[in-house]
Amino acid sequence: MKSVGRKLALDAIALVLYALAALPALTTIPIHEWLGIAAFVVLAVHLVFGLGEAWSMARSADRSKRAARWGNLVVDVLLLIALSVCMVSGLLVSGTVLPTFGLFADGYYFWDPLHAASAKALLALLVVHLALHARWIANAARRRK
């Protein structure tokens, strides 16, 4: 029960950080960049732990649920890829984080559209991920009461 509570708390933190980082007009670009790094760390931990769990479930003996579990694994892998591309491209167009460390990256006109596209893909995949896990989220929240 405690591990479910910890997982739910990590998930909630990840979602809040992502939501804040996804709104640069609200947070300003410098805060968006630092929140993006924090969100990346929390979301990457969440996804890496989830990938191991999804992989073992996808290989389970229960054939009736195997296709759905493989679909879930595919969404999780795509989420990790979109998150990674969004993070790397975001760092490479950074106007705050990279200069803080005395760094600069060329290729803004390549990285900026890639960052925008990967952010949109990340949002779409996150919605699918949340929908796939809606029952678990509801059950975990109910158990916490």
Side-chain angles (χ1 to χ4, degrees):
M1 179 111 128
K2 286 184 180 181
S3 67
V4 170
R6 286 187 192 125
K7 189 170 181 348
L8 188 61
L10 176 68
D11 295 353
I13 291 168
L15 188 59
V16 167
L17 282 172
Y18 169 78
L20 289 172
L23 298 168
L26 177 68
T27 61
T28 72
I29 296 297
I31 294 172
H32 162 78
E33 291 179 11
W34 290 109
L35 279 173
I37 291 171
F40 173 78
V41 170
V42 175
L43 286 167
V45 168
H46 167 82
L47 285 170
V48 167
F49 285 138
L51 282 175
E53 190 176 306
W55 175 255
S56 64
M57 286 194 319
R59 294 179 1 154
S60 74
D62 187 354
R63 291 191 186 277
S64 65
K65 296 181 183 178
R66 193 175 287 179
R69 289 177 175 168
W70 275 104
N72 191 14
L73 180 63
V74 167
V75 169
D76 288 352
V77 168
L78 291 173
L79 252 173
L80 188 56
I81 291 168
L83 177 63
S84 299
V85 170
C86 192
M87 182 64 192
V88 169
S89 60
L91 280 174
L92 292 173
V93 298
S94 170
T96 301
V97 173
L98 282 185
T100 297
F101 298 105
L103 301 171
F104 175 80
D106 287 327
Y108 176 85
Y109 293 107
F110 172 78
W111 295 114
D112 189 53
L114 183 62
H115 183 64
S118 63
K120 288 173 179 71
L122 180 61
L123 176 59
L125 288 164
L126 180 61
V127 169
V128 172
H129 179 78
L130 287 170
L132 289 172
H133 291 84
R135 184 180 298 152
W136 181 89
I137 294 166
N139 289 338
R142 209 173 300 122
R143 277 186 247 151
R144 293 230 356 122
K145 288 183 181 179

